Amino acid sequence: MKNLFLGLLVVLVLISCSTDEYGNTVEEVNSVSVQESSSKQLGPANDANPYDEVGKKYGFWLSDYYKIHGYSKTIQDLATQVNYMGAKLKAPDVFGKSNILITEDGITISINNPETAVTSTLAAGTLSEAAESSLLSFFVSLIQNREAEYSLLYDFITTYEADIMESSNLTDHELETILGITSVTRYALDAEGEHKDRDWELSVGNKKVASRFHPFQASLISVIVHLRYYL
C-alpha cells in the first residue's frame, strides 16, 4: 500500500509550488506506502474543521438514501445515488449551481479515469493554481489508496485539514471550499465503510461484466462527481 502520511507532505508542498513543479510532485504522491493508523476516532466528525457541518449534512443525506434504497452494486445504482445526492445539494440552493443529471456513461468515465475527472472539474472552477494543485493531489492520494482502511483515510484527511487551516497561501474562500470538500469526503467514506467489500458490476454495452471495485469506490466517485457544487 501507499503511504498516505508521507504523501500528505507532498500535497502540502503543492500549496507553494508552481504549475511546472506540479507534475513531478503528483508522481511522488503515488509512489509511497501506508503506515498504521494511530487514530482512535469514533465516526467521521472532525470538530477542528470549522466547516464540518457541510460534510455532516451530506453524510445524513447519504445515510438516509442507503436506508431507503440500499447500497449501490452496479453502475446504474451509483448513477441513481449520485443524482439523488445532486438533487439534495441543489434543493436548498446552497451553492447556486444547476443540477445536471449524471448518466451511467458519465459514471463509467469517472470510474475509469477518476484523476482526469477531478482535474477537469477543478480546472472549470475559480480556485487559484495553488489551491487546485493541493486539492488534486489530495484526491490523487485518496484514489491511489482507496484500498486502505477507513481509519487510515480519516487520519490522512484530518491531518491534511489541520495543515490547510494553518496555510497562509489560501484565501478565506479557498479555505472554506477545501475544508467543505474534505469534510464531505470524510462523511461519504464513512457512510460506505461498512459495505466496502461487496461485488459490483460494470455495464459494457448491454452486457454485465463482473468486477470487484476497490473499497470506497462508490463514495469517492460520488464526491468527485459532486465537486462542481463546491467550486
Side-chain angles (χ1 to χ4, degrees), residues 138 142 153-161 182 185-186 189:
F138 169 76
L142 289 178
L153 300 177
Y154 177 92
D155 284 351
F156 169 67
I157 295 170
T158 55
T159 302
Y160 175 75
E161 289 173 325
T182 57
T185 304
R186 272 188 287 103
L189 292 175

Side-chain angles (χ1 to χ4, degrees), residues 161-172:
E161 289 173 325
D163 284 286
I164 284 294
M165 284 185 279
E166 293 179 0
S167 172
S168 60
N169 297 320
L170 301 172
T171 66
D172 290 342

Side-chain angles (χ1 to χ4, degrees), residues 96-118:
K97 304 294 179 70
S98 61
N99 182 38
I100 302 173
L101 291 178
I102 305 299
T103 65
E104 292 179 37
D105 286 343
I107 294 293
T108 301
I109 290 171
S110 295
I111 288 172
N112 290 335
N113 300 285
E115 294 172 23
T116 300
V118 174

Side-chain angles (χ1 to χ4, degrees), residues 129-144:
E129 289 186 9
E132 279 187 34
S133 295
S134 179
L135 261 181
L136 176 57
S137 290
F138 169 76
F139 277 103
V140 166
S141 291
L142 289 178
I143 291 165
Q144 296 298 325

Side-chain angles (χ1 to χ4, degrees), residues 42-147:
L42 295 175
N46 179 17
D47 294 337
N49 183 337
Y51 303 102
D52 202 57
E53 190 65 30
V54 177
K56 185 178 296 183
K57 183 181 295 185
Y58 187 94
F60 173 79
W61 289 334
L62 188 56
S63 296
D64 190 52
Y65 176 87
Y66 286 151
K67 289 177 184 177
I68 297 172
H69 303 283
Y71 292 82
S72 301
K73 295 182 179 179
T74 67
I75 297 295
Q76 182 179 26
D77 290 344
L78 184 52
T80 301
Q81 173 191 318
V82 164
N83 286 317
Y84 171 88
M85 293 300 293
K88 297 296 288 187
L89 288 169
K90 174 60 180 173
D93 203 25
V94 174
F95 308 106
K97 304 294 179 70
S98 61
N99 182 38
I100 302 173
L101 291 178
I102 305 299
T103 65
E104 292 179 37
D105 286 343
I107 294 293
T108 301
I109 290 171
S110 295
I111 288 172
N112 290 335
N113 300 285
E115 294 172 23
T116 300
V118 174
T119 301
S120 61
T121 302
L122 292 177
T126 59
L127 299 178
S128 66
E129 289 186 9
E132 279 187 34
S133 295
S134 179
L135 261 181
L136 176 57
S137 290
F138 169 76
F139 277 103
V140 166
S141 291
L142 289 178
I143 291 165
Q144 296 298 325
N145 290 280
R146 56 187 178 269
E147 293 183 78

